[in-house]
Amino acid sequence: MEKLAEIIRTVFDDDSVEIGSKTTAHDVDGWDSLSHVNLILAIESGFNIKFSQKELLTFKNVGDMHDTINAKIAFRGDGLGQA
Amino acid sequence: MKRFVVKFVLFVTLAAGMLLVVSSVCGHMRTRVLKDRVFVFSEGITTLIAGDSHPQAAVNPALLPGAESICEGQEGYFFTYHKLKYFLGRNPQIARVILGFSYQNLARRYQELFLSSEQEATRLLESYFVLLDDEGVELLRDRISNKRPYYVNLLKFRYGLPIQIYRDKDLLREALGAALRREDVAFFGDGFHKSEKSRVEGKQMDAKVRLYFQDEKETYSGVSTLMVEYLKRIVQLCEEHGVDLILYNAPLHASFKSRIPGQAITDFAQVRDQLLARFPKLHYVDHVDEGLPNESFGDGDHVNSLGATVVTGRLARLIQLSH
Amino acid sequence: MTFTSPLYFLFWPAAFLVFYFSRDKYRWLVLLLASLAFYAALKAPSLLIALTGVTVLTYFSGRGVAAAMSPGRKTLVFWLGVTANLAILIGFRYLAVLIEGFNALSGAIGGGRHVFAAVDPISIGVSYYSFQAISYLVDVYLDVEKPEKHFGYFALYISFFPKLLQGPIERAGDFLPQLRQPYVFCYENVRSGLLLFAWGLFKKVVISDRLALFVNEVYGNVHAFSGLPLIIATYFYAFQIYCDFSGYTDMALGTSRIFNFKLTQNFENPYRATSIAMFWRRWHISFSRWILDYIFKPLQFRFRYWRDWGTALALVITFLACGVWHGATAGFVIWGLLHGLYMSCSVLYRGLGRRFRRKKRSPTALIETWRVIATFHLVCLAWIFFRARSLADAFYVINHSIAGLPSSLVRLAKRDSLVHDLYLNQSNKEFFLAVACLGLLAVLARATTAHEAAVRAFRQWAPGWLRWSAYLGFVLAVVVFGVFYGGAFIYFQF
């Protein structure tokens, strides 16, 4: 979770915002549907995973993203730490 | 729920009551307007000039003894009939009416536009509805294609609903107790159009002829039986009131006349001949080809006040001679 | 019938009474029958066929998608459902235009013919409920929603009469659960619903239709005008379409509230937006959310490796689709394209700005005001293409608004052409009324919390007679100031 939170803070240039599993786009300044894609790209490169279209359309909050990321890492058998 | 229904019914009743009260006040004022002295001409006025923009431009009442013009642009016989009925009723001293009678007065598409075009209907009905008799109202109801302007004006003028009353200068002045003037009444008519401007232009004439005589398919639209019917009624109306009726065909620029479809001229002549045969006391004056110079024409189908001076003078002499 | 026809004022009380006195089990049926009757009153049987088609096809597709065993089959059923809906939509909306387009293709460069004047009744509503059906299918496909098994509820979801003709486009997750709530008469809902409906009626009949007098005069014959009147007409149109559509939305929301249904709000002070992106979050919200979720997001995701350029491309395509949804003429397409370009520019600009901007400073009031004005003008520029009868007319308006402005102002200063250039050939009283209406809108738009508190206080504490006088005055105002001819809702044609 911490790594994900770090990425979010970097992409939206806001070090002070609190990121929890219930956080949504509303809570972070500058995070809207237009800039959302930048976050996705940063996460994909940061965790070396690829999201699917379907997954993307169903994320409701940071917690959803976190679960999906973990699932993908686990599936890869990478085991390189938690998100 | 019961509380709501009671309140709702109460509100609707109150609203209806309020509208009823306001409507009767407005209706009462409209009746008062129609009884106003503004519609009564002085005893010396014995000739009325009526019709659309053609007699409006061509006949100068100042040059005829005891004349007054109540012409208004685009006024067709359906409306002129009701208007004359009203004015003759208020002015028993009138002995003569000069009515515009030209080719476009019988053109079906142009004259019946108020039945098919919502814009035209709105404009004309707003002004003349108050004059219509029951038969006229029924005719509208049956023949108008878009019923909305009909219903709105019916509610407004027959039932007094205060729809857009801020537009009715006559009503507002009546309410304030101020004297009515001619320009406050929508249907009165602007009267003689005084202007010396002259601009006869080919494209404009083409557009006008198209507007008057052609329908959507760009063919001659024929004669309006409705207008012929109401013209007959005007003739009968004048007979009833013992009034001399002169049908006046105002001057047209030669190049305008040449643009009119030949069939329209033939149809016009037919109607004219039928009328003259049926009503022997009817007069017809043809000033279409008076040979006026270009400067006397405001545009292709209207003279300006220079031309009006000439033809009114000729008309005056004709009237004198026939007595 | 439409919301402004007299018949509707008999219809909904009757529907409500039957609804109220029915057993809760059957209330959905009452509403469904009422909705079908409402749609049937338009006297276009083909519409009922479209509605039935969309309902039946989507219902079975939804259940099919959820029941599908393999992902492949799931996708197949999903796309079949979507395609069927699109086919119905295109068939009803664009067939005539497509055929015409083929014929006119050769000489069509001067701009498309604008089918504006008469509303084509053959397709009212189809665009809205077919989009709604597609959103339902996507939600089922993505496992966001479970498919609705109760056919009656589903049919009502598609055809509920307040939103049948012009939206809002409801998401399944918002609407279907409400059907399962038992109905309890709520006085406050009925009352506030009626008030909302009345306000929507006022916006439509008094404000929008009045502004239409001016707009139609100018846009019906643009070459007769130059300079100021073109500008006035364009500004008036911006508010005409806003009042028309938000008025309809208020009537829809108000009516449904009477039945205890909450529909999504379509408008939120759109002209106070400080950017085009914000504008689209406040204008026709249910529709812009639809194109955001179902066109933009998938496209943006697909193009994500092109970063900002990918987003920009996704935006342009999305708004082109938006334009085409409104109509297949050049005017609508350019309108959509303009908005797509506006959005793309802002995305690209933001990307640039991110590299140079140091700290985020909250903008001053002056900058905010400037942004509001600039956004409004960008939107108006696009409206010109939306409203003008042809591309040629639109370019004429743009050219001559600026070019003709100085001379029109000179003419006005000399009081030569007040009626033509300022009042747009209407009576001066109508002009002042129109301006007064806009003033009223401005006051209401600036509603601050203090103002809202005042309104609430009025509703709660003012004695009944005062409140009722206000309501009666309101009724009188609608009768006196309403413009009752020619009043088809603009968004009916979409």
Side-chain angles (χ1 to χ4, degrees):
Chain A
M1 190 55 162
E2 201 31 60
K3 188 168 175 191
L4 177 58
E6 192 51 47
I7 293 179
I8 294 176
R9 287 198 199 102
T10 313
V11 168
F12 296 113
D13 203 15
D14 190 345
D15 295 322
S16 59
V17 67
E18 279 295 313
I19 310 286
S21 55
K22 287 276 179 253
T23 310
T24 66
H26 284 295
D27 306 320
V28 181
D29 202 16
W31 185 0
D32 57 27
S33 42
L34 295 175
S35 56
H36 182 67
V37 71
N38 296 325
L39 177 63
I40 297 299
L41 284 169
I43 293 178
E44 284 185 331
S45 66
F47 290 99
N48 205 3
I49 53 173
K50 277 227 184 334
F51 287 113
S52 80
Q53 184 92 263
K54 203 166 161 173
E55 284 160 352
L56 201 70
L57 290 171
T58 58
F59 289 149
K60 281 204 191 49
N61 54 33
V62 173
D64 286 346
M65 288 168 112
H66 184 233
D67 296 336
T68 309
I69 295 170
N70 276 342
K72 283 190 178 306
I73 297 177
F75 183 73
R76 219 166 53 203
D78 208 287
L80 274 176
Q82 285 293 305
Chain B
M1 164 74 165
K2 206 189 267 177
R3 177 174 152 229
F4 167 71
V5 171
V6 166
K7 279 201 177 181
F8 184 72
V9 169
L10 185 61
F11 181 78
V12 170
T13 315
L14 275 178
M18 168 188 75
L19 286 177
L20 211 72
V21 167
V22 175
S23 301
S24 28
V25 169
C26 282
H28 175 71
M29 299 254 221
R30 286 200 198 276
T31 324
R32 283 232 320 249
V33 165
L34 281 179
K35 294 209 182 92
D36 196 283
R37 303 273 327 153
V38 72
F39 300 106
V40 178
F41 297 119
S42 67
E43 275 302 309
I45 302 290
T46 53
T47 302
L48 267 190
I49 306 159
D52 61 10
S53 55
H54 287 214
Q56 185 183 43
V59 186
N60 187 344
L63 301 174
L64 285 173
E68 189 64 67
S69 173
I70 55 170
C71 296
E72 176 68 10
Q74 282 189 280
E75 189 182 281
Y77 291 143
F78 176 73
F79 297 111
T80 309
Y81 164 72
H82 291 97
K83 186 161 143 181
L84 270 178
K85 195 161 137 188
Y86 172 71
F87 271 101
L88 289 178
R90 300 291 308 273
N91 294 280
Q93 78 280 17
I94 301 286
R96 179 182 303 114
V97 168
I98 301 172
L99 178 70
F101 179 50
S102 186
Y103 308 108
Q104 85 284 353
N105 285 115
L106 303 178
R108 194 179 61 78
R109 172 136 189 272
Y110 179 63
Q111 295 296 343
E112 295 187 10
L113 207 55
F114 73 95
L115 291 173
S116 55
S117 153
E118 189 172 320
Q119 227 181 343
E120 287 305 305
T122 306
R123 208 174 52 79
L124 287 168
L125 288 186
E126 222 181 5
S127 306
Y128 293 95
F129 201 99
V130 68
L131 289 170
L132 296 182
D133 56 19
D134 291 329
E135 198 179 343
V137 173
E138 246 178 62
L139 190 141
L140 266 186
R141 185 196 61 206
D142 294 332
R143 293 187 57 160
I144 202 167
S145 54
N146 187 337
K147 296 269 187 291
R148 260 208 208 208
Y150 167 74
Y151 282 121
V152 171
N153 283 295
L154 184 72
L155 287 171
K156 185 172 174 178
F157 292 105
R158 277 295 162 98
Y159 298 103
L161 239 75
I163 300 172
Q164 294 188 323
I165 43 173
Y166 55 85
R167 287 166 79 103
D168 301 336
K169 278 196 264 195
D170 46 4
L171 199 63
L172 294 174
R173 283 185 79 94
E174 186 69 37
L176 294 172
L180 277 188
R181 302 159 308 182
R182 186 175 164 145
E183 58 265 27
D184 296 327
V185 181
F187 63 76
F188 204 117
D190 289 336
F192 179 61
H193 182 69
K194 200 185 287 195
S195 159
E196 296 188 7
K197 280 196 248 190
S198 170
R199 199 166 156 250
V200 180
E201 206 204 32
K203 267 208 320 197
Q204 202 191 52
M205 290 195 279
D206 285 328
K208 270 255 175 95
V209 168
R210 265 202 310 272
L211 172 66
Y212 290 160
F213 299 104
Q214 279 181 353
D215 60 18
E216 305 83 43
K217 296 185 209 105
E218 316 246 315
T219 55
Y220 169 53
S221 64
V223 163
S224 162
T225 41
L226 181 67
M227 293 301 131
V228 172
E229 173 58 36
Y230 271 86
L231 177 55
K232 283 202 197 107
R233 288 196 198 193
I234 294 177
V235 177
Q236 283 163 337
L237 178 75
C238 290
E239 259 188 21
E240 278 166 34
H241 282 260
V243 164
D244 235 2
L245 178 60
I246 301 174
L247 298 178
Y248 181 71
N249 202 343
L252 295 174
H253 195 275
S255 54
F256 184 89
K257 185 162 180 215
S258 65
R259 286 168 155 85
I260 300 178
Q263 188 60 37
I265 303 196
T266 317
D267 290 339
F268 175 86
Q270 209 177 10
V271 173
R272 176 200 65 204
D273 294 337
Q274 276 171 356
L275 280 171
L276 290 173
R278 186 165 150 193
F279 300 99
K281 286 202 268 179
L282 190 58
H283 305 286
Y284 171 69
V285 171
D286 191 318
H287 275 179
V288 176
D289 307 305
E290 285 296 284
L292 294 169
N294 277 12
E295 301 78 50
S296 299
F297 282 95
D299 63 24
D301 59 327
H302 298 95
V303 289
N304 56 21
S305 35
L306 296 172
T309 309
V310 175
V311 289
T312 311
R314 292 181 193 172
L315 181 62
R317 275 193 293 282
L318 272 175
I319 296 175
Q320 241 180 351
L321 284 175
S322 64
H323 283 273
Chain C
M1 73 189 93
T2 69
F3 287 169
T4 49
S5 61
L7 190 57
Y8 187 69
F9 290 87
L10 293 170
F11 171 79
W12 75 256
F16 180 68
L17 280 175
V18 178
F19 173 82
Y20 179 78
F21 286 113
S22 314
R23 281 235 290 271
D24 210 40
K25 269 207 323 182
Y26 299 120
R27 286 205 163 110
W28 64 267
L29 184 60
V30 170
L31 286 179
L32 180 60
L33 291 174
S35 304
L36 290 174
F38 181 77
Y39 209 32
L42 288 172
K43 301 204 182 108
S46 54
L47 287 178
L48 284 169
I49 296 176
L51 181 63
T52 316
V54 166
T55 309
V56 168
L57 286 166
T58 313
Y59 173 77
F60 285 111
S61 304
R63 294 195 67 171
V65 165
M69 286 292 113
S70 65
R73 190 176 158 76
K74 201 164 169 160
T75 311
L76 177 69
V77 179
F78 167 70
W79 281 111
L80 276 176
V82 171
T83 312
N85 274 306
L86 284 176
I88 293 181
L89 171 60
I90 293 175
F92 270 81
R93 289 265 289 129
Y94 301 111
L95 199 60
V97 184
L98 281 174
I99 294 175
E100 216 189 282
F102 273 124
N103 296 339
L105 200 56
S106 34
I109 306 194
R113 198 172 68 93
H114 198 131
V115 194
F116 202 98
V119 172
D120 183 3
I122 308 295
S123 64
I124 299 183
V126 183
S127 320
Y128 296 91
Y129 54 75
S130 61
F131 263 33
Q132 188 175 295
I134 293 176
S135 88
Y136 167 80
L137 279 178
V138 174
D139 285 348
V140 171
Y141 178 64
L142 294 176
D143 293 321
V144 172
E145 291 296 326
K146 291 229 175 349
E148 177 57 62
K149 295 234 166 60
H150 191 306
F151 184 74
Y153 283 0
F154 183 76
L156 185 56
Y157 165 61
I158 300 287
S159 64
F160 187 42
F161 73 88
K163 65 161 185 60
L164 179 60
L165 300 182
Q166 282 188 83
I169 301 177
E170 289 298 318
R171 298 296 172 90
D174 294 329
F175 190 82
L176 286 169
Q178 297 189 60
L179 285 174
R180 300 196 143 82
Q181 311 276 22
Y183 174 76
V184 175
F185 179 81
C186 175
Y187 181 82
E188 188 49 42
N189 272 357
V190 175
R191 177 178 147 205
S192 65
L194 280 175
L195 287 175
L196 189 58
F197 181 89
W199 172 236
L201 184 69
F202 183 88
K203 274 199 280 199
K204 167 64 178 157
V205 163
V206 175
I207 307 184
S208 169
D209 285 349
R210 169 161 280 108
L211 293 173
L213 294 174
F214 299 87
V215 174
N216 293 344
E217 175 74 21
V218 171
Y219 275 88
N221 185 10
V222 289
H223 295 278
F225 298 90
S226 169
L228 188 65
L230 295 173
I231 298 179
I232 294 180
T234 307
Y235 285 161
F236 276 13
Y237 183 68
F239 290 102
Q240 176 196 340
I241 191 169
Y242 168 67
C243 286
D244 185 292
F245 203 15
S246 73
Y248 162 85
T249 301
D250 285 346
M251 288 197 256
L253 263 61
T255 309
S256 52
R257 199 183 288 181
I258 293 175
F259 294 91
N260 275 4
F261 283 96
K262 190 162 186 292
L263 299 182
T264 49
Q265 176 56 266
N266 249 347
F267 292 91
E268 247 179 68
N269 253 319
Y271 292 137
R272 290 194 69 198
T274 50
S275 69
I276 297 284
M278 196 193 237
F279 172 78
W280 281 102
R281 284 197 282 271
R282 295 170 169 221
W283 177 276
H284 203 176
I285 296 174
S286 64
F287 177 76
S288 60
R289 277 219 210 113
W290 195 101
I291 57 175
L292 177 80
D293 284 344
Y294 303 124
I295 303 184
F296 173 70
K297 279 199 179 143
L299 281 178
Q300 186 197 34
F301 185 72
R302 184 167 299 240
F303 299 146
R304 66 191 182 285
Y305 296 116
W306 298 339
R307 307 215 128 233
D308 285 342
W309 291 97
T311 303
L313 181 61
L315 283 169
V316 169
I317 297 177
T318 302
F319 278 97
L320 261 177
C322 174
V324 174
W325 180 89
H326 284 80
T329 65
F332 292 125
V333 171
I334 304 241
W335 170 79
L337 192 63
L338 269 178
H339 275 281
L341 289 174
Y342 291 157
M343 294 282 274
S344 310
C345 287
S346 83
V347 162
L348 295 169
Y349 168 75
R350 255 212 289 191
L352 281 172
R354 221 179 292 128
R355 269 179 255 175
F356 295 112
R357 240 181 295 124
R358 213 110 303 241
K359 216 166 101 73
K360 277 183 249 201
R361 262 171 302 138
S362 33
T364 65
L366 196 62
I367 294 189
E368 286 287 281
T369 311
W370 159 251
R371 283 195 187 148
V372 169
I373 295 177
T375 306
F376 179 70
H377 280 82
L378 285 174
V379 171
C380 281
L381 179 65
W383 283 138
I384 295 177
F385 287 94
F386 194 86
R387 175 60 179 89
R389 274 202 307 203
S390 67
L391 273 189
D393 274 4
F395 285 119
Y396 174 89
V397 171
I398 296 173
N399 269 328
H400 285 78
S401 298
I402 313 296
L405 184 60
S407 46
S408 63
L409 288 174
V410 166
R411 280 200 303 269
L412 268 179
K414 289 197 278 189
R415 318 215 80 199
D416 257 350
S417 57
L418 215 55
V419 173
H420 182 85
D421 282 333
L422 188 61
Y423 304 147
L424 306 183
N425 289 344
Q426 307 300 313
S427 113
N428 59 337
K429 294 186 190 149
E430 295 292 359
F431 181 78
F432 294 137
L433 271 177
V435 171
C437 287
L438 292 180
L440 178 65
L441 284 179
V443 164
L444 292 173
R446 292 208 65 81
T448 58
T449 39
H451 176 261
E452 276 160 16
V455 173
R456 236 174 299 135
F458 176 76
R459 297 234 323 238
Q460 264 182 288
W461 303 117
W465 61 266
L466 187 58
R467 267 186 293 124
W468 276 44
S469 310
Y471 300 153
L472 287 173
F474 180 85
V475 169
L476 192 61
V478 171
V479 172
V480 173
F481 296 109
V483 175
F484 293 104
Y485 347 90
F489 286 100
I490 296 178
Y491 263 78
F492 264 176
Q493 55 178 312
F494 306 132

